[in-house]
Amino acid sequence: MTQNPAPSACYTSRDMSTTEMAGSTPAPAPAPVPWWQIVHQRFKANGISIVVHVPDAALVGLIGACEADPEIEVLQLTREEEGVGILSGAYLGGKRGALLMQSSGLGNCINALGGLPMAYRIPFLLLITPRGRLSEFNPSQVPAGRATPKLLDALGIETATLERADEVATLVDQALYSAFSTSQPVALIVSTLLTGGKRV
């Protein structure tokens, strides 16, 4: 009786992966997309055409991406409350906008926020980097930084916090949808877990 030959311990070229045949290591995983790049992409997707800001080291990437975008007008402010007036006027002219600032600047525009967009239902996005929280080095920033969520709540401004890169796109989309569907400003606080904070 004829017996089947024992299976060979050798592998043919068909059994080998392309990587093994090439003798190379697997390609490295692509670098993660920075959080600020995701925010810029969502601004574009949701029709943000004007961004106003007070300079902030934690927002350099986002500000630079917006400045390089020919479809987004970027204006640098001297005080945060100027941005409230500019974005309110821009909305009445048919433009959607976002105000970028540190939490230390929120106190500068409390009256402007309460007296104009909250009173007259003018929507825009507030993107706030917190001071006085994790990684803070300056004790004078702590009181106002910790009070930021309570100040926004006292004004009746819906607020969410960006903490994880995989949630940024969803939260920015939801915040912008809420703002422009309900005609109210909405705030996003960018956690130091994303930005790394400000140590110097």
Side-chain angles (χ1 to χ4, degrees):
M1 182 168 80
T2 306
Q3 293 183 346
N4 292 328
S8 171
C10 299
Y11 293 103
T12 68
S13 61
R14 275 180 250 175
D15 299 317
M16 299 175 67
S17 69
T18 304
T19 301
E20 291 172 325
M21 286 191 293
S24 61
T25 57
V33 178
W35 70 269
W36 52 263
Q37 189 172 326
I38 300 171
V39 174
H40 171 248
Q41 292 169 353
R42 303 327 301 160
F43 278 6
K44 295 268 290 181
N46 287 278
I48 296 297
S49 59
I50 180 168
V51 169
V52 297
H53 70 95
V54 173
D56 178 13
L59 294 171
V60 164
L62 177 57
I63 292 168
C66 292
E67 287 177 332
D69 191 327
E71 296 180 2
I72 298 179
E73 181 180 5
V74 179
L75 300 174
Q76 182 174 314
L77 310 170
T78 56
R79 286 178 62 89
E80 290 79 6
E81 62 264 42
E82 296 172 358
V84 176
I86 290 170
L87 292 183
S88 296
Y91 178 73
L92 296 177
K95 291 186 175 184
R96 292 183 169 193
L99 170 56
L100 317 183
M101 63 178 170
Q102 285 187 0
S103 58
S104 54
L106 179 62
N108 293 337
C109 53
I110 293 295
N111 189 57
L113 286 167
L116 187 55
M118 296 305 295
Y120 295 98
R121 302 183 66 86
I122 299 174
F124 52 81
L125 181 71
L126 291 158
L127 192 73
I128 302 170
T129 55
R131 297 296 305 270
R133 308 307 295 267
L134 296 178
S135 294
E136 181 58 60
F137 73 97
N138 186 346
S140 68
Q141 295 282 1
V142 173
R146 289 182 176 174
T148 294
K150 294 179 181 179
L151 291 172
L152 292 166
D153 183 62
L155 286 167
I157 295 177
E158 181 73 21
T159 306
T161 301
L162 304 180
E163 295 182 338
R164 292 171 32 188
D166 61 351
E167 296 177 338
V168 170
T170 298
L171 287 175
V172 173
D173 282 346
Q174 291 179 343
L176 289 169
Y177 179 82
S178 291
F180 293 105
S181 64
T182 64
S183 298
Q184 296 278 349
V186 172
L188 289 175
I189 298 174
V190 187
S191 169
T192 54
L193 295 174
L194 279 180
T195 67
K198 186 174 181 180
R199 295 177 180 267
V200 292

